[in-house]
Amino acid sequence: MAPFLPATPFLFFFGAVMVAGWWGGWGPAMATTLLSTVVADFYFLKPLLDQSPGAGRAVSLAAFAVLSLLMTKLNVMLRKANAERARLLERERAARSEAEAGRARLHTLFQDAPAGIILMRGPRHVYSFSNTMNDTLMGTDPLEGREAREAVPWAEERGFIALLDEVYRTGVPYAGNAVAFPRELPTGERQETYLNIVYQPTRNEQGEVDGVVGFGFDVTDLVRARQRAEALTHELQQAEARDWLLAESGAVLTSSLDDETTLRNMAKLVVPTFADWCLVDMAEPGGTFRRLEAAHFRPEDDALAEDVLRFGMRPSGNPGHPPTGALLKAETVHIERLTRERIHALTHNAEHARVMEAMGPVSLISVPVIARGQVLGVLSFIHSYSGRHYSTSDLAFARELAHRAALSLENARLYAEAREAIRLRDEFMSIASHELKTPLTPLSLKLQALARELARNPGPVPRDLVERYVVVGARQVQKLAELVGDLLDVSRISAGRLSLEMEELELGSLVRDVVTRYEPQAARTGSSLLLEAGDFYIVGRWDRLRLEQVITNLVDNAVKYGDGKPIHVRLAPHDDGARLTVRDEGIGIAPQHLPRLFGRFERAVSERNYGGLGLGLYITRTLVEAMGGRVHVESTLGRGSTFTVELPGNLGAEQALRAPLGDSGLEGHARPGGTS
């Protein structure tokens, strides 16, 4: 290649050394330099093919060698620099890859973390990150890129936006425990979720706050477990208090047989353990009702309690009034939450509403006090200033208190009835012994007189004398038989063994027979019997003997208490049966005795002035009711009494039939002795 190379051939060899040094480093470059020096000296430097050194050749070769060494050094350094750069680039790529992987792992870790994690940027709190759990807790669409105010509408009203503003403005972290968050369930229902939250400010390179990172740890289960534990503790405390209350109520209810005192004491006992107010409404004997007690705990409510006592149960008032509703339905009334509007709807009138508002009730239970199927009163338990609310679990306790009160009232009633029964028994024994002696005394006297006559007259005793004695004796024996019969009837009624023998009969003739039989007795007292039977032919199915007993008792009563004045007996058809009225103009009956007149052993007059066991009207009422009828009395003291018996025909057809006058001449005509 010598002819093609210039006079200085070292450029070609410089290239060879450069390539060798670039690719091989010092070793190949030194070998190439040495070989190039030899080749250039032998083939290119004159004289050619001669290796004897000359001054010029030696300088050229030395310069070539030095430049080649420098070139090789530069190549080696450049090669090392490139290699180092490549290593650095590789390390950078590896680091970047590792960083990306770490970021991905961190993102995954944050995304799947068992806590809500958010990252917000700027003063408007724009979400730049929200993990899965936070989205689930918030129950909203994806939050990234949205402002907190717009993404979570309830955050501002609950104070969270103000809290974020404070952290962003001051750079001071915030930590809160068991903070309530409203969580929307898939069903659309909202449920409170409790989180322990931390809001931490984030800063840029200059150290300025540029955002807020938040962490939320769901502690709902812990909070609810604590709430359940607190509720259980509260229930245990309530159970202990109620056990104590039941024990004390048992002692209070058995401490006295005065039912009013007992109920007042029990009402005061339950305040304030079970109620802030306890109202007691009781039924009165006359069918009326009275608010017996308005127990309360605070002394400042004394004046209000006086007003509360004025508004008790009113069957004719507002049926929505809780005590009234409990009375009418005989069921417990439970109102868990009372509002002002509800209070106005439950009261009798505006004044009642004002008093109730002053009490401030928030929850109420009204329980009827029931004994033997009859509502004796109502207990009302009210929460007001304590703010507590009655739950369904409180109903059983309220009913138990009412049940115990009912037992106490029933025991008091039974005790009173027992005392009254003992009184009646003693009174009856006294009256019965007197009544039984009454016919025995004249009978004994007549028998003694007859014995004296027999002793005085050894021969036959005059017939008229014996007949007078026999008449008196028969009358007294009849009276004894009636007394014994009444006692037997009462015994049968009490034992439930009273039987009726129903038959078809005409009532007018039966009434006439009784009136006729009593005319002599009425005449002895100075009274006259006036029968008004009209021309009706009244037929029905009744027990003849029992119906005769009813008529006899009424006529006998009228004769006994008629004070020698006329007695009117009237028989007329009524509906499909009959109405019998017996009216006298005698001593009459005081109003206070009328309600108990048909009771057993009851008397409206003194037994010293008027005989009898007090059983006639009781037997009369029982017999009339047994035949499907009813009996009632109207009386004015000093002006007489009117007893009315209404009997159904028991035939299912019209029984009052107009018939022609009979031959007896009794109907509508005056009879000797004043009876018509």
Side-chain angles (χ1 to χ4, degrees):
M1 298 181 62
F4 303 101
L5 295 176
T8 303
F10 291 103
L11 290 176
F12 173 78
F13 293 104
F14 275 128
V17 173
M18 183 182 296
V19 172
W22 178 261
W23 291 106
W26 281 105
M30 291 298 292
T32 304
T33 301
L34 180 60
L35 182 59
S36 297
T37 302
V38 173
V39 171
D41 180 47
F42 187 74
Y43 288 102
F44 292 95
L45 297 179
K46 295 180 180 180
L48 299 178
L49 302 177
D50 185 5
Q51 293 186 350
S52 57
R57 293 174 68 175
V59 172
S60 297
L61 291 173
F64 171 74
V66 171
L67 291 174
S68 294
L69 289 175
L70 291 174
M71 185 182 300
T72 299
K73 183 176 179 59
L74 291 174
N75 282 332
V76 170
M77 291 176 63
L78 183 59
R79 185 172 181 270
K80 287 183 177 180
N82 287 334
E84 185 65 25
R85 179 173 175 273
R87 283 194 301 272
L88 290 176
L89 289 174
E90 183 62 29
R91 288 175 61 185
E92 182 183 356
R93 284 193 297 269
R96 186 179 293 113
S97 176
E98 186 177 351
E100 290 294 335
R103 182 178 178 183
R105 286 195 298 271
L106 185 61
H107 185 276
T108 302
L109 179 63
F110 281 6
Q111 194 70 33
D112 299 334
I117 302 175
I118 58 173
L119 182 60
M120 292 177 283
R121 297 297 182 189
R124 304 291 295 178
H125 312 302
V126 178
Y127 284 95
S128 60
F129 176 78
S130 173
N131 71 345
T132 303
M133 184 172 182
N134 186 73
D135 290 341
T136 302
L137 291 173
M138 296 298 102
T140 61
D141 296 332
L143 299 173
E144 284 84 351
R146 303 168 65 188
E147 293 184 9
R149 284 184 176 84
E150 178 268 330
V152 187
W154 48 262
E156 186 160 13
E157 66 184 38
R158 292 210 175 195
F160 289 104
I161 299 300
L163 185 60
L164 291 171
D165 289 341
E166 182 70 15
V167 173
Y168 188 88
R169 182 178 60 82
T170 63
V172 178
Y174 169 81
N177 294 326
V179 180
F181 284 78
R183 179 183 179 185
E184 187 170 346
L185 301 177
T187 59
E189 180 184 358
R190 282 205 168 185
Q191 184 183 63
E192 290 293 326
T193 300
Y194 298 91
L195 303 179
N196 288 346
I197 62 172
V198 176
Y199 288 149
Q200 183 77 31
T202 60
R203 300 178 184 273
N204 57 18
E205 292 79 0
Q206 290 76 31
E208 299 172 345
V209 176
D210 64 351
V212 177
V213 61
F215 302 91
F217 302 91
D218 190 353
V219 292
T220 303
D221 292 340
L222 293 177
V223 171
R224 289 179 179 164
R226 183 172 66 247
Q227 290 174 344
R228 286 194 294 270
E230 292 173 353
L232 181 59
T233 302
H234 180 65
E235 288 180 5
L236 290 175
Q237 292 173 347
Q238 279 192 329
E240 292 178 358
R242 290 176 182 180
D243 288 343
W244 173 85
L245 186 57
L246 286 177
E248 290 297 314
S249 67
V252 168
L253 292 172
T254 56
S255 63
S256 172
L257 289 171
D258 181 355
D259 52 357
E260 291 192 4
T261 301
T262 299
L263 289 177
R264 283 195 173 100
N265 291 337
M266 193 194 76
K268 295 173 182 177
L269 179 67
V270 301
V271 174
T273 304
F274 186 65
D276 299 326
W277 288 81
C278 182
L279 310 181
V280 181
D281 294 281
M282 294 301 298
E284 297 286 286
T288 59
F289 300 91
R290 177 168 61 99
R291 176 149 287 174
L292 184 66
E293 183 61 62
H296 57 284
F297 183 69
R298 301 186 303 183
E300 58 266 29
D301 290 331
D302 289 344
L304 178 59
E306 294 297 325
D307 290 335
V308 173
L309 287 173
R310 295 189 291 114
F311 299 98
M313 298 185 299
R314 296 182 185 176
S316 59
N318 183 3
H321 180 230
T324 302
L327 167 71
L328 296 176
K329 298 180 180 179
E331 296 176 354
T332 302
V333 176
H334 173 213
I335 303 177
E336 186 173 357
R337 295 186 181 276
L338 274 169
T339 61
R340 185 176 183 275
E341 294 74 16
R342 188 77 182 273
I343 291 173
H344 280 263
L346 298 178
T347 52
H348 294 306
N349 50 45
E351 178 64 15
H352 188 195
R354 183 193 65 78
V355 173
M356 288 293 289
E357 281 192 48
M359 291 177 66
V362 297
S363 190
L364 176 146
I365 296 177
S366 289
V367 189
V369 179
I370 302 176
R372 296 194 299 179
Q374 181 181 2
V375 179
L376 304 179
V378 174
L379 296 179
S380 296
F381 307 98
I382 300 174
H383 278 319
S384 57
Y385 56 84
S386 66
R388 294 176 292 180
H389 294 272
Y390 289 113
S391 62
T392 53
S393 62
D394 296 314
L395 295 179
F397 184 75
R399 292 191 182 105
E400 177 63 23
L401 288 177
H403 175 65
R404 294 192 175 206
L407 290 179
S408 176
L409 293 177
E410 183 68 6
N411 290 337
R413 186 193 62 78
L414 292 175
Y415 176 74
E417 287 184 357
R419 292 188 60 182
E420 180 65 13
I422 293 173
R423 184 191 68 79
L424 289 175
R425 181 201 64 186
D426 294 343
E427 182 178 346
F428 168 72
M429 294 299 294
S430 174
I431 295 173
S433 61
H434 172 74
E435 289 297 319
L436 290 174
K437 285 180 181 179
T438 298
L440 287 175
T441 299
L443 179 61
S444 176
L445 290 175
K446 287 298 181 181
L447 290 175
Q448 291 175 11
L450 181 59
R452 285 194 299 270
E453 289 294 335
L454 291 173
R456 202 167 40 244
N457 299 307
V461 179
R463 179 182 178 85
D464 58 342
L465 179 64
V466 174
E467 286 181 348
R468 287 199 304 272
Y469 288 155
V470 169
V471 169
V472 173
R475 187 184 305 124
Q476 302 308 321
V477 170
Q478 177 63 27
K479 191 171 184 179
L480 279 174
E482 290 175 356
L483 292 174
V484 173
D486 285 346
L487 291 175
L488 288 176
D489 284 340
V490 171
S491 176
R492 292 189 188 100
I493 293 170
S494 299
R497 293 186 287 105
L498 180 67
S499 60
L500 299 177
E501 296 182 4
M502 307 293 280
E503 60 178 293
E504 188 172 324
L505 59 94
E506 199 277 316
L507 186 57
S509 59
L510 185 61
V511 173
R512 294 185 190 96
D513 290 344
V514 174
V515 170
T516 302
R517 189 167 65 248
Y518 262 87
E519 282 179 351
Q521 184 174 339
R524 283 195 298 272
T525 63
S527 296
S528 59
L529 282 172
L530 303 175
L531 175 61
E532 302 173 19
D535 53 356
F536 294 103
Y537 187 77
I538 303 175
V539 178
R541 286 186 60 81
W542 302 297
D543 185 311
R544 178 182 292 274
L545 293 179
R546 295 301 184 184
L547 194 51
E548 182 179 356
Q549 187 176 359
V550 167
I551 302 169
T552 299
N553 285 341
L554 294 179
V555 173
D556 183 73
N557 250 26
V559 171
K560 184 184 298 183
Y561 305 116
D563 199 24
K565 297 177 181 179
I567 298 169
H568 303 268
V569 180
R570 184 174 186 274
L571 178 64
H574 175 70
D575 293 340
D576 64 341
R579 175 187 284 140
L580 174 66
T581 303
V582 179
R583 179 171 62 87
D584 65 74
E585 301 173 11
I587 62 175
I589 304 168
Q592 64 269 24
H593 297 312
L594 289 176
R596 59 183 182 85
L597 190 62
F598 291 97
R600 184 168 50 179
F601 306 125
E602 294 290 350
R603 303 170 56 88
V605 294
S606 171
E607 66 273 10
R608 293 184 179 181
N609 300 322
Y610 298 91
L613 299 176
L615 296 175
L617 292 179
Y618 168 71
I619 295 173
T620 296
R621 176 181 63 84
T622 304
L623 294 177
V624 170
E625 291 177 353
M627 286 184 280
R630 71 185 191 97
V631 59
H632 59 91
V633 61
E634 298 174 1
S635 181
T636 302
L637 190 63
R639 299 180 62 181
S641 304
T642 301
F643 288 85
T644 302
V645 175
E646 295 176 353
L647 291 170
N650 297 323
L651 291 176
E654 181 67 38
Q655 299 302 311
L657 302 176
R658 183 172 297 275
L661 292 175
D663 295 334
S664 63
L666 292 176
E667 294 84 350
H669 299 277
R671 294 189 51 179
T675 300
S676 66

